[in-house]
Amino acid sequence: MYGVAWGPDKQTIMASFDILGRSSLRLVNIKSGEVFDTLAEGSEFGQFSSTGQLYFTQRLKGGLWTLDNGEIKLIHEEFTLMIDMSWTIVDQQAYNLAYREGRIDIDRINLITGERVIMKLVDGARAQSIAVDRNGVIYLGTYHESRTNIVKINQ
């Protein structure tokens, strides 16, 4: 079990499971620890939006995916995760730290239209995690053995 995120309600978490090389996202009851629902076979990391919609990545495939009436649907094909903390969903936007040409940018993807906006960071920024508040303020985490920094980005 890895890649843990909040489930669609306060009683569950969602976790990535790897059983004999096959990955899946499953719901786990917080109190009992019971694994009770498999959401998407072949999926790697997932998050729920504030509307309860599941978004996820798939192992060995690029892209950001969702379930639409039980069918897996591609939202944006140019979506690659660095680590499980390098993306977040706030309202109808996915934010992802994207490594390009020796630098890290922030991709903001509209989950309804699939439109991507690339926000270029200053050179030398090596963020590894991202959080975004309801007002759209972006916080980046940088980690090193001797220190940890949280940086606020004003848009």
Side-chain angles (χ1 to χ4, degrees), residues 46-91:
Q47 293 188 24
F48 283 94
S49 71
S50 59
T51 64
Q53 184 68 31
L54 172 63
Y55 296 91
F56 56 92
T57 62
Q58 292 194 65
R59 184 177 281 183
L60 305 177
K61 289 184 182 180
L64 179 63
W65 303 79
T66 191
L67 289 177
D68 186 9
N69 294 322
E71 297 292 321
I72 295 176
K73 176 183 169 189
L74 179 64
I75 297 295
H76 198 279
E77 65 183 324
E78 294 179 33
F79 187 91
T80 303
L81 291 184
M82 293 189 318
I83 59 174
D84 61 338
M85 296 183 305
S86 68
W87 73 301
T88 190
I89 292 176
V90 177
D91 297 327

Side-chain angles (χ1 to χ4, degrees), residues 2 31 33 54 60 78 92-93 100 111 140 142:
Y2 60 99
K31 290 182 181 178
L54 172 63
L60 305 177
E78 294 179 33
Q92 294 300 314
Q93 303 288 331
R100 291 187 189 92
L111 297 172
L140 302 176
T142 60

Side-chain angles (χ1 to χ4, degrees), residues 84-132:
D84 61 338
M85 296 183 305
S86 68
W87 73 301
T88 190
I89 292 176
V90 177
D91 297 327
Q92 294 300 314
Q93 303 288 331
Y95 295 82
N96 184 41
L97 297 175
Y99 185 79
R100 291 187 189 92
E101 301 172 2
R103 62 181 289 140
I104 295 176
D105 299 326
I106 300 171
D107 287 353
R108 183 179 67 214
I109 299 170
N110 183 306
L111 297 172
I112 304 299
T113 65
E115 178 184 356
R116 177 178 64 176
V117 173
I118 299 172
M119 296 178 266
K120 299 205 177 278
L121 296 178
V122 295
D123 287 332
R126 295 285 179 224
Q128 293 147 322
S129 67
I130 186 169
V132 180

